[in-house]
Amino acid sequence: MLQLLKPLLFLQDSFLALLSIMEDMELAHQNYPMVLVQIPMYNEREVFELSIGAACRLIWPSDRLIIQILDDSTDPAIMELVSMECAKWASKDINIHYQRRDNRNGYKAGALKHGMRHSYVKLCDYLAIFDADFQPEPDYLQRAIPFLIHNPELALVQARWRFVNANTCLMTRMQEMTLNYHFMAEQQSGSARHAFFGFNGTAGVWRIAAMEEAGGWKDRTTVEDMDLAVRVGLLDWKFVFINDLEVKSELPSKFKAFRFQQHRWSCGPANLFRKMTMEIIHNKRVKIWKKFYVIYSFFFLRKIIVHFFTFFFYCVILPTSVFLPEVKIPTWSTIYSPSIITLFGAIATPRSFYLVVFWVLFENVMAMHRTKGTFIGLFERERVNEWVVTEKLGDTLKTKLLPRNGQLLKRVNMKEVMMGIYILCCACYDFAFGNTFLYLYLFMQATAFLISGVSFVGT
């Protein structure tokens, strides 16, 4: 019962904190803590105005808020546009700083780390981070900061993402289903149980003291957000996820951009697992059950095994079994268990329930790409530190149609095509010589691979 009441106590304390920092206006804003807002960006032509504008409209005393634009752009025209946008808001008495580096070392982590070195950052108590496509509501800080003020053991307040372009195409609808399940199954449940969960890299507010105690940003992998969260968690700080605190964001609507993103999201965690396992084991600040949870459940099960199992079982072992009639795969493993797991996952996005078959087929296709990224991260092969910034389109889709590259060879993803052909051969063999209905699934899965293979997915 006590565990169930703790989230409610968080809410109560946060409400009281909000009242306390607003009740005495005679103190001129001294009750408000200093907040730093960081927005890292790289050649973000389509969205820089949206993100900067949203940050500058945050409701917080202007003398207690510092906005930092960390621009690593290499396009001089975009650099000039971003600089002019910052100057425009500075002329409206917004405390905004346009910061540039002379290199891109460490990519996003390097930019964030460089931004923390400025003298004015030492005045700040909390740090809010938003990627270039994220647009917080004006009351975001008013709703998030109170959790940190009255809960000194709290290091992070994580908000939920709300996708402004979820209805753009079938691919964005399926991404919405996957991410909603992530928020519900990992973050919301983890927060309610006071278990560890990762930082999403954006739409969160950090206690700067907790960050500094853990060593700040590190660029040893491409998942600097997860790296920081694990190190802070191992110091026994607590995190909270606010499900009804939503921040507008954009899903990648181009298949190529989505593949690059998924490579980073699978390669980075596997590489971090390789580098941090012994550090977690030797940690003396947390109990052994928390070490086991982070190593086994958070990393090994969710970031590695799930990709391997999905790809090898459903895309290799199951299709190949049609050539080996003496091999009997139990029905519970091919139908019952997957169906139950899929239904639980689809519950997170009820409006897309009718897309569940397409979602499963697409997730199986992407499992191959994620498995490859996981292997690269575990064994630190080539591309382990590759960082391709996910392309954002902003309002582009609302104003014009995007041309599809007409050169077929440039659009072909040979691995998906070859996998699709193999599964198609398995389906034909099972249809001609098999005595089960497995070919029904195999034909659909082969089609999904072939469609993805020619990039006929997304906008």
Side-chain angles (χ1 to χ4, degrees):
M1 180 63 71
L2 181 60
Q3 291 297 321
L4 294 175
L5 289 176
K6 283 184 177 180
L8 297 177
L9 294 176
F10 266 129
L11 291 171
Q12 181 183 15
D13 290 345
S14 302
F15 178 71
L16 293 174
L18 180 59
L19 291 177
S20 69
I21 64 177
M22 296 178 66
E23 63 184 4
D24 191 358
M25 299 305 293
E26 293 181 359
L27 293 179
H29 301 150
Q30 293 305 309
N31 282 346
Y32 287 79
M34 285 288 291
V35 179
L36 174 69
V37 176
Q38 285 188 324
I39 305 178
M41 55 179 59
Y42 173 74
N43 292 339
E44 307 288 2
R45 180 186 296 274
E46 305 293 348
V47 296
F48 74 90
E49 288 183 273
L50 298 174
S51 58
I52 294 175
C56 292
R57 294 186 186 95
L58 289 169
I59 300 174
W60 202 256
S62 59
D63 59 335
R64 312 298 290 172
L65 180 66
I66 301 174
I67 298 173
Q68 194 180 63
I69 308 302
L70 306 172
D71 186 20
D72 277 0
S73 298
T74 54
D75 186 327
I78 297 177
M79 291 161 50
E80 180 65 21
L81 289 172
V82 175
S83 178
M84 290 173 59
E85 184 69 12
C86 293
K88 182 186 80 173
W89 285 101
S91 67
K92 299 179 181 180
D93 295 328
I94 300 296
N95 190 358
I96 184 170
H97 296 260
Y98 176 67
Q99 311 288 177
R100 282 195 49 77
R101 300 188 293 163
D102 56 5
N103 59 70
R104 285 197 69 212
N105 295 342
Y107 302 108
K108 179 181 174 181
L112 295 170
K113 186 176 182 179
H114 185 265
M116 298 297 289
R117 294 173 180 168
H118 295 279
S119 58
Y120 55 82
V121 175
K122 294 180 174 61
L123 303 173
C124 300
D125 304 294
Y126 304 113
L127 166 65
I129 304 171
F130 302 103
D131 282 351
D133 59 310
F134 278 70
Q135 304 165 51
E137 296 296 331
D139 64 348
Y140 174 86
L141 294 179
Q142 291 181 319
R143 297 179 62 188
I145 296 295
F147 283 90
L148 293 158
I149 293 177
H150 271 208
N151 296 286
E153 76 281 9
L154 201 63
L156 168 68
V157 173
Q158 175 68 63
R160 186 187 181 97
W161 302 355
R162 177 160 60 89
F163 311 110
V164 297
N165 65 332
N167 294 324
T168 298
C169 59
L170 182 60
M171 190 181 79
T172 54
R173 289 288 294 273
M174 292 185 291
Q175 288 179 69
E176 181 190 36
M177 295 177 72
T178 301
L179 289 171
N180 282 347
Y181 177 72
H182 160 71
F183 292 133
M184 180 184 74
E186 180 175 334
Q187 299 203 295
Q188 188 174 356
S189 65
S191 177
R193 294 180 291 108
H194 289 270
F196 173 79
F197 64 90
F199 173 46
N200 292 332
T202 179
V205 183
W206 280 98
R207 187 185 301 274
I208 292 180
M211 296 176 61
E212 292 176 343
E213 184 182 357
W217 298 109
K218 292 187 179 181
D219 58 7
R220 54 183 172 176
T221 69
T222 56
V223 284
E224 77 295 325
D225 48 1
M226 187 180 295
D227 189 343
L228 177 62
V230 172
R231 285 184 282 113
V232 172
L234 291 176
L235 295 175
D236 214 23
W237 287 90
K238 303 296 188 296
F239 303 161
V240 65
F241 174 78
I242 311 301
N243 189 57
D244 62 351
L245 179 59
E246 299 182 336
V247 179
K248 292 187 289 186
S249 63
E250 180 180 327
L251 294 164
S253 58
K254 291 186 176 181
F255 187 53
K256 183 177 181 180
F258 181 60
R259 291 173 87 249
F260 279 128
Q261 182 200 68
Q262 294 303 297
H263 170 80
R264 188 171 75 248
W265 285 7
S266 56
C267 179
N271 192 232
L272 184 63
F273 174 67
R274 171 192 173 105
K275 293 180 175 179
M276 287 204 70
T277 300
M278 297 309 299
E279 183 178 338
I280 295 170
I281 292 174
H282 292 143
N283 181 276
K284 299 184 184 302
R285 294 283 293 270
V286 297
K287 296 179 180 179
I288 190 170
W289 70 265
K290 187 168 185 177
K291 297 180 187 180
F292 177 79
Y293 177 84
V294 174
I295 292 175
Y296 175 74
S297 180
F298 180 76
F299 274 116
F300 187 67
L301 193 60
R302 301 179 193 175
K303 312 301 181 186
I304 296 175
I305 292 300
V306 68
H307 303 321
F308 288 175
F309 176 79
T310 301
F311 172 63
F312 285 111
F313 184 76
Y314 293 106
C315 302
V316 178
I317 296 175
L318 204 56
T320 305
S321 68
V322 303
F323 301 116
L324 305 169
E326 64 275 12
V327 175
K328 300 296 182 182
I329 300 179
T331 305
W332 64 264
S333 66
T334 58
I335 299 179
Y336 302 138
S337 295
S339 297
I340 293 173
I341 294 172
T342 300
L343 291 175
F344 276 123
I347 288 174
T349 315
R351 77 186 189 97
S352 298
F353 195 81
Y354 68 98
L355 297 174
V356 68
V357 173
F358 298 100
W359 180 46
V360 170
L361 297 175
F362 185 68
E363 283 293 292
N364 288 348
V365 171
M366 293 311 301
M368 181 179 72
H369 196 64
R370 292 166 183 150
T371 298
K372 177 187 174 186
T374 303
F375 268 121
I376 291 173
L378 280 176
F379 298 103
E380 291 197 332
R381 310 307 298 171
E382 187 180 0
R383 294 183 63 197
V384 66
N385 290 317
E386 179 185 67
W387 184 295
V388 179
V389 175
T390 305
E391 183 180 7
K392 293 99 176 176
L393 301 176
D395 293 328
T396 301
L397 286 172
K398 300 177 183 178
T399 57
K400 63 182 179 180
L401 293 176
L402 297 177
R404 187 179 291 278
N405 190 336
Q407 299 184 35
L408 180 61
L409 291 179
K410 289 186 177 181
R411 290 166 40 197
V412 170
N413 305 304
M414 286 306 300
K415 296 181 181 66
E416 282 87 345
V417 170
M418 293 172 63
M419 200 71 216
I421 292 173
Y422 174 72
I423 296 177
L424 181 61
C425 292
C426 295
C428 293
Y429 182 89
D430 188 57
F431 178 75
F433 305 106
N435 56 2
T436 67
F437 293 99
L438 184 58
Y439 63 84
L440 295 175
Y441 158 72
L442 296 179
F443 275 126
M444 291 190 293
Q445 190 63 73
T447 302
F449 268 103
L450 292 173
I451 290 175
S452 302
V454 295
S455 296
F456 203 70
V457 181
T459 53

